[in-house]
Amino acid sequence: MSRPPDSRSQDLGPAPITFRKATEADRAAVETLQRAAYERNRTLLGVEPLPLQADYAEIFRTMEVWLAEERDQLRGVLILQARADDLLIWSIAAAPGAQRQGLGQIMLDAADVRADQLGRDVIRLYTGSVLAQLIGWYHRHGYQVESEEDIGDRHITHMVKQLIRRQS
């Protein structure tokens, strides 16, 4: 197979994911993505997912909201809460069209980087206990079940990941 005389080597792979901190102007887009991303979980849980019950004005005031963008298109949202002894992944959500393409792994990696930047050795998260496939996915990415909790209308599984700090 011969190449056209003008051909050049080109990267035709997917555009890289970039992260930026959300601003208040992004709030409506974040809420829309969260609703779409958590729709499947609503059916599996049988109740409204906790991220869909949140006051996003409060989330934007008290947590770090990171946007995962590809070619300036919102593909995912990572919401982090820096606490005294750990970093909590409060929400990790990929747009339905971006699911099952590795974006979740990229966002988990971004949380690792942010924990390191903040000097945290531990990352925690929680998810619905009935979401066994999701618990398994987190486990494959280094998270261990820490505890389970009954919070009335649902059971949640708390998970933890111990980071290995880089030597400076």
Side-chain angles (χ1 to χ4, degrees):
M1 182 171 179
S2 64
R3 284 196 227 166
D6 209 55
S7 70
R8 294 184 181 101
S9 176
Q10 295 181 355
D11 179 9
L12 297 179
I17 298 295
T18 57
F19 286 88
R20 71 175 175 87
K21 232 177 196 179
T23 67
E24 184 61 32
D26 298 308
R27 194 168 90 196
V30 166
E31 291 185 54
T32 297
L33 186 140
Q34 293 287 95
R35 279 192 301 278
Y38 282 96
E39 180 61 35
R40 180 173 174 264
N41 289 1
R42 176 185 291 125
T43 303
L44 296 171
L45 292 168
V47 294
E48 190 77 354
L50 294 174
L52 301 185
Q53 297 177 18
D55 174 353
Y56 277 85
E58 180 70 13
I59 296 295
F60 270 70
R61 277 192 302 276
T62 62
M63 298 185 194
E64 294 183 4
V65 180
W66 292 91
L67 306 181
E69 297 177 321
E70 180 181 35
R71 293 188 179 100
D72 297 322
Q73 295 295 310
L74 181 59
R75 308 299 281 156
V77 175
L78 178 64
I79 302 176
L80 305 172
Q81 183 179 28
R83 304 187 302 188
D85 297 323
D86 63 16
L87 181 67
L88 175 69
I89 298 176
W90 186 83
S91 174
I92 181 170
Q99 293 175 2
R100 299 188 180 274
Q101 297 178 19
L103 179 59
Q105 173 67 57
I106 292 168
M107 289 192 288
L108 287 178
D109 291 347
D112 287 0
V113 169
R114 188 65 182 133
D116 189 57
Q117 290 171 345
L118 295 169
R120 302 302 193 282
D121 298 357
V122 175
I123 299 178
R124 287 190 165 83
L125 59 82
Y126 55 87
T127 190
S129 296
V130 299
L131 303 175
Q133 182 177 1
L134 194 52
I135 292 168
W137 182 79
Y138 286 125
H139 182 74
R140 289 189 301 278
H141 291 90
Y143 290 82
Q144 302 299 319
V145 172
E146 186 174 37
S147 64
E148 294 191 18
E149 180 182 10
D150 181 350
I151 59 170
D153 64 346
R154 71 193 77 214
H155 286 73
I156 59 174
T157 298
H158 295 269
M159 302 188 78
V160 62
K161 179 179 181 181
Q162 183 73 43
L163 299 176
I164 298 170
R165 296 293 307 271
R166 289 184 226 135
Q167 299 295 329
S168 302

